[in-house]
Amino acid sequence: MRPRRDKQKSEQVRENEEMYRRASTRILILGAGYSGLTLALQLGRELKALNNIRVMVIDRNNDLLFTPLLWTVANGRANPNNVVIPIRDFQKGRQFFVRHAEIEQIDLDQKEVRTSQGSLPYDILVIALGSRTAVPDLPGLRQHALPFHTPADALQLRNHLIDAIESAHYATDPAERQEWLTFVVGGAGDTGAELAAIVHDYLLTGLFRAYPWLADAPVRVVMVGRAERILPMSDPRTSHLVYRALKREGIEVLTGRSITGVEGRAVLTSSGTIPARTLFWAAGITAPEVVCHLPVPHARNGAVLVDDHLRIPEYQDVYVIGDCAWAYDSITKAPVPPTAQAARQQGAYVGKVLARECTNQPALPYRYTPLGHLALLGHETGVAQVGSLTFGGLPAWILWHLVYLLRNPSWTRRIRLVADWLLSGFLGPETGQLRLETELSQHMSAPEPMANRKPGRES
Ligand SMILES: Cc1cc2nc3c(=O)[nH]c(=O)nc-3n(C[C@H](O)[C@H](O)[C@H](O)COP(=O)(O)OP(=O)(O)OC[C@H]3O[C@@H](n4cnc5c(N)ncnc54)[C@H](O)[C@@H]3O)c2cc1C
């Protein structure tokens, strides 16, 4: 039987938007990611008793992307649907409204946000728009480098590795074969290290099962970082353990050198050329364009500089949180890292600040509490730092899975993820390619990744 449309509900949604416009205090949150959604939920709890305040959240997407779980999509162990949670699931019984739209411009003087669905006024604005991968304008980089930030990137990584292996299979020239089998990762921070490990893991435990004749092939995964040590933002012990784990897996780690460009068959670095047809890129993030255009002071990566209460100093009714804020701990003055745990803490903090402001109470300055560090580094191995304890191997791998499973707020998604992980353990990871281009886009000329050419074709 077809479910009946709930007429009352759709009228309520319209009324809600009107309620937002008519409220005496209108709090507008831009972005429903880790920081924005945590803030909306916190405000729902804190402001229950104050019914002249309304909260509206705007996001172009209709779901929260659980970024750490993207690794298990990339290595063929999880269905991409199970790493995103519909925003509507969080809204049930909560007191905030959601508008599904693209944010086009933020007018801080007129106190208005222009979106693809019209403009919305605000009294208090919270910008929580996250970040994108920063790809510098180096020769060949923007045409060839493959970023890793979305479920589509995770599927593209898999598709690309399969293409490369197919090409290696058909290559008769040993030099060309080696180029197809060499995978360079630009960036040696958290994302770069996990990316290098996942590429290596997927090749060895996934694809080489499907292509057993390539199992002895001389695969190279090379991670290149500019700093002298990997994970430069992390505790040196964690960084050392991650380094050891990568080396044990057979990943080449090159530090103190930068990538200077890409050619069809090579990645160029400040100290030499690496013959390779693949470059994955994970060397830094930048703020979204709409944030970069704000006429306020920015950090080098476009994030907005905020004060001790995460506000823009010149606009005290505007808060910026998550990856697009450049914030410091108010006591230690240490910069806050762009992580999901910091984003969630900032969302919860601003929720409390706004609740206090609405009841005319002063708010304490922002403090960041690091909760630890987890990294997934390939087949049944990882690194974990919890308090003063740092450990690696299988226990860290198990802890990683447990933590991210429990952090996932949706029971349905948790059950599906466990099923995915267990099934892939028994049956092996997914090795089929899933192309997401529509028929139309296949006929349009798009930039061609280095190794995304048909096997056997000359480059
Ligand atoms: C592959 C990967 C793995 C990671 N692993 C970890 C990890 O293990 N641990 C950890 O702590 N952190 C991890 N991170 C970092 C973490 O994902 C980010 O720090 C976190 O998502 C930042 O939260 P946020 O709220 O600032 O932004 P997001 O969660 O990215 O939310 C931003 C929201 O804004 C919306 N948006 C942006 N621009 C517009 C626009 N113009 N119009 C409408 N909507 C818009 C987006 O759709 C999105 O929903 C990882 C990141 C990546 C890419």
Side-chain angles (χ1 to χ4, degrees):
M1 205 170 68
R2 242 171 88 188
R4 276 194 310 141
R5 281 181 62 192
D6 195 336
K7 190 159 173 259
Q8 245 184 345
K9 237 186 197 167
S10 61
E11 272 163 10
Q12 198 194 342
V13 170
R14 273 200 295 277
E15 194 188 327
N16 285 343
E17 191 157 327
E18 257 331 286
M19 282 164 77
Y20 170 82
R21 288 181 183 276
R22 286 201 309 261
S24 62
T25 306
R26 294 160 301 185
I27 302 178
L28 188 57
I29 303 173
L30 308 184
Y34 279 101
S35 56
L37 211 49
T38 308
L39 167 62
L41 295 172
Q42 181 80 25
L43 283 175
R45 283 191 289 271
E46 301 272 348
L47 299 177
K48 247 183 189 135
L50 304 170
N51 55 17
N52 56 347
I53 301 173
R54 288 284 176 266
V55 180
M56 172 77 76
V57 183
I58 313 179
D59 202 294
R60 63 156 78 102
N61 291 329
N62 201 16
D63 44 57
L64 169 72
L65 169 62
F66 227 77
T67 42
L69 294 178
L70 279 178
W71 302 123
T72 62
V73 177
N75 67 3
R77 293 174 49 236
N79 180 327
N81 277 74
N82 295 335
V83 305
V84 291
I85 305 157
I87 298 172
R88 304 289 171 191
D89 281 9
F90 294 94
Q91 233 187 330
K92 286 175 193 154
R94 294 336 198 298
Q95 298 197 326
F96 62 89
F97 314 136
V98 177
R99 193 187 250 216
H100 189 195
E102 178 75 25
I103 294 146
E104 293 170 346
Q105 198 194 356
I106 304 168
D107 189 334
L108 297 176
D109 295 316
Q110 297 296 320
K111 296 183 125 192
E112 195 175 67
V113 173
R114 204 179 74 207
T115 80
S116 53
Q117 302 291 321
S119 294
L120 276 171
Y122 65 83
D123 298 299
I124 295 168
L125 180 69
V126 185
I127 304 174
L129 289 171
S131 59
R132 316 166 274 153
T133 304
V135 187
D137 191 10
L138 295 170
L141 205 65
R142 290 190 178 156
Q143 291 93 301
H144 297 304
L146 298 167
F148 194 89
H149 214 108
T150 66
D153 293 335
L155 290 178
Q156 165 70 358
L157 177 141
R158 243 157 66 184
N159 289 344
H160 181 86
L161 292 183
I162 294 169
D163 277 341
I165 292 297
E166 288 283 1
S167 301
H169 180 46
Y170 286 102
T172 46
D173 170 16
E176 185 193 336
R177 188 163 183 258
Q178 183 61 65
E179 285 161 15
W180 287 116
L181 291 174
T182 303
F183 304 91
V184 181
V185 176
D190 283 285
T191 310
E194 288 186 286
L195 187 48
I198 236 64
V199 167
H200 191 262
D201 176 36
Y202 188 56
L203 285 167
L204 264 62
T205 62
L207 294 186
F208 286 177
R209 275 194 194 178
Y211 298 81
W213 53 92
L214 277 173
D216 295 326
V219 167
R220 284 180 76 194
V221 178
V222 188
M223 183 174 82
V224 183
R226 195 161 37 181
E228 287 305 324
R229 73 171 164 98
I230 66 166
L231 274 62
M233 298 272 283
S234 299
D235 175 89
R237 269 179 316 164
T238 309
S239 153
H240 180 64
L241 261 191
V242 171
Y243 176 81
R244 273 189 18 207
L246 294 176
K247 294 295 278 183
R248 216 176 16 249
E249 291 290 302
I251 294 165
E252 295 172 47
V253 180
L254 306 179
T255 51
R257 65 161 97 172
S258 20
I259 287 174
T260 53
V262 190
E263 285 171 357
R265 301 177 67 161
V267 175
L268 315 176
T269 80
S270 51
S271 40
T273 296
I274 307 169
R277 303 225 186 184
T278 304
L279 173 65
F280 291 108
W281 193 254
I285 53 170
T286 181
E289 232 164 88
V290 71
V291 174
C292 293
H293 287 151
L294 288 173
V296 295
H298 293 268
R300 269 216 338 244
N301 72 351
V304 174
L305 299 173
V306 291
D307 66 15
D308 277 355
H309 290 83
L310 306 184
R311 286 179 299 217
I312 300 182
E314 300 83 359
Y315 294 90
Q316 290 289 293
D317 46 8
V318 182
Y319 294 79
V320 189
I321 55 177
D323 282 7
C324 65
W326 193 268
Y328 292 91
D329 179 283
S330 60
I331 304 291
T332 63
K333 301 294 173 203
V336 179
T339 60
Q341 56 167 294
R344 282 156 54 138
Q345 284 184 29
Q346 293 181 345
Y349 166 80
V350 172
K352 288 191 185 123
V353 168
L354 291 179
R356 288 180 78 87
E357 265 185 17
C358 291
T359 51
N360 294 322
Q361 299 173 64
L364 292 173
Y366 173 68
R367 298 281 341 253
Y368 169 60
T369 318
L371 299 175
H373 194 122
L374 286 171
L376 189 69
L377 295 174
H379 188 59
E380 297 180 1
T381 189
V383 166
Q385 183 227 317
V386 187
S388 57
L389 198 65
T390 309
F391 54 96
L394 187 61
W397 185 86
I398 293 172
L399 186 67
W400 187 97
H401 284 80
L402 278 178
V403 166
Y404 288 117
L405 203 59
L406 295 176
R407 287 252 173 95
N408 193 321
S410 157
W411 268 106
T412 343
R413 295 288 188 286
R414 280 183 197 166
I415 293 166
R416 288 184 183 160
L417 271 171
V418 172
D420 281 355
W421 292 342
L422 287 177
L423 277 175
S424 69
F426 287 121
L427 306 175
E430 179 59 70
T431 54
Q433 279 184 317
L434 186 60
R435 303 267 187 215
L436 292 179
E437 294 96 358
T438 60
E439 193 183 8
L440 191 63
S441 66
Q442 278 181 349
H443 296 294
M444 289 162 64
S445 53
E448 200 174 79
M450 286 168 84
N452 217 10
R453 297 156 193 135
K454 294 282 175 292
R457 230 172 74 182
E458 215 23 74
S459 64

